[in-house]
Amino acid sequence: MTPLAQELARLIRDEGPLSVSRYMALALGHPRHGYYMKQDPFGAAGDFTTAPEISQIFGELIGLWAATAWRMMGEPAPFRLVELGPGRGTLMQDMLRAGKVVSGFREALTVHMVETSPVLRERQRATLAASGMAPVWHERIEDALDGPALIVANEFLDALPLDQFVLTPEGWRERLVGLDGEGRFAFGLSAEPEGRMARAAPQGAVLEQPLAALETVATVARHVAAEGGAGLFIDYGAVQTGFGDTLQAMRQHGFVDPLAEPGDADLTVHVDFERMAQAGRAAGAAVHGAVTQRDFLLALGLEQRVAALSRRAVPEQAARLAAGASRLVAADRGTDMGQLFKVLALADPRLPLLPGFDLHRLPEQAAP
Ligand code: SAH
């Protein structure tokens, strides 16, 4: 048993079964034993790989997106470039480098990072040491927002805890994490059904309630609607709300039982982009997308970027660039990033449609 598993088992014996959100929050964020709090989980030697770690082109295109959005905002100076859950800091590093081509952009911005993990904060500091910027770290989003802002979050919402409910003949019951006869973690259901929830679902349906993600999105939306700017959320999930248990655990690039190794495996959920968009709209922002990551990156000029970088590269480098870029947009199977990942922007309603969301102006179709 992991040290965290022992602590959680004690908690369940003392206080009763845990909600899925409490289990997830402790597995990921326990101050000493939480998954993100004690280690750097990324890369080939880690548990999973994210888009910025696959290809520099991902961050470069998002940097150009941000610089273009900043121009559409009327080039406010100063303004904040904020990243939520920046991992190793690679996305921010690539964004800042690419943003150099838009004059005045880098001079106008200050970098703000929202990160709870001390290990990853150190890693981000090292990555950005040569960038010439002086990033400021925050525990909470609210503290990172002040004035016009562009907020970027890649694979952040999927790490925020949610609750689950299951439809039984007596109504919706909350899914809880308890202990079985042998002292192992097991899912169970609350004794009392939830009275207030609608019933239009098949028996056994699982309904997820992503309160922390919805709050995050609403905070960003409220801020940009009032102070100017936009938030960009990239993650895996569906464009339309559906039923189903999406809680998953990953270790060494494979799926494992979410209850087996709390603190030692990454725990995530799929993002419900329809509900995120609704929360953003309700908070006063305009909704752009969601579109697939494939459509978004191709519209931003992924292929042109690969071609431009390849002209200056030796053949092996060019092959690596092409392979990385194609992983970002591949859409052959349901698990490929291009189709599974979606991109949603929540923007100040005074802004025009942001780059990447106008699917009628794909680069291939643009006038020469
Ligand atoms: N964006 C990065 C990392 C994604 S992993 C990438 O694409 O590579 C999720 C990140 O969010 C990690 O940096 C993790 O430490 C951070 N994180 C998780 N929960 C958080 C929370 N509640 N507040 C702030 N950061 C959080």
Side-chain angles (χ1 to χ4, degrees), residues 3 32 43 105 114 142 153 231 263:
R32 243 174 339 143
F105 176 66
V114 178
E142 290 81 350

Side-chain angles (χ1 to χ4, degrees), residues 87-93 122-131:
R88 286 179 164 176
T90 311
L91 172 58
M92 183 57 79
Q93 180 188 34
E122 267 327 298
R123 182 71 204 229
Q124 292 154 19
R125 199 186 307 281
T127 303
L128 295 178
S131 70

Side-chain angles (χ1 to χ4, degrees), residues 36 42 48 50-53 83-88 91 114-117 120 124 139 154-156 159-160:
Y36 283 114
F42 304 102
F48 59 96
T50 56
E53 306 298 331
E83 187 176 355
L84 312 181
R88 286 179 164 176
L91 172 58
V114 178
E115 176 60 70
T116 41
S117 160
L120 290 173
Q124 292 154 19
E139 283 283 314
N154 185 61
E155 290 207 38
F156 177 71
L160 300 184

Side-chain angles (χ1 to χ4, degrees), residues 10-71:
R10 204 172 329 120
L11 194 61
I12 293 169
R13 278 188 218 103
D14 292 350
E15 297 180 18
L18 307 173
S19 65
V20 172
S21 63
R22 180 123 190 254
Y23 175 80
M24 211 178 151
L26 288 167
L28 295 177
H30 182 284
R32 243 174 339 143
H33 306 304
Y35 179 75
Y36 283 114
M37 303 306 267
K38 59 180 188 185
Q39 68 210 324
D40 170 354
F42 304 102
D47 293 320
F48 59 96
T49 306
T50 56
E53 306 298 331
I54 289 172
S55 172
Q56 67 182 75
I57 293 175
F58 183 78
E60 289 171 350
L61 291 176
I62 292 174
L64 294 172
W65 177 90
T68 309
W70 173 72
R71 294 188 68 168

Side-chain angles (χ1 to χ4, degrees), residues 7 30 41 74 94 103-104 108 124 146 215 217 232 252 256 286 297 307 311 317 324 327 334 338 364:
E7 201 167 319
H30 182 284
D94 293 339
S103 104
Q124 292 154 19
D146 184 17
E215 243 167 64
V217 161
L232 187 73
Q252 289 157 4
V256 295
L297 294 178
R311 277 195 289 278
Q317 279 175 321
R327 267 184 81 184
E364 301 79 281

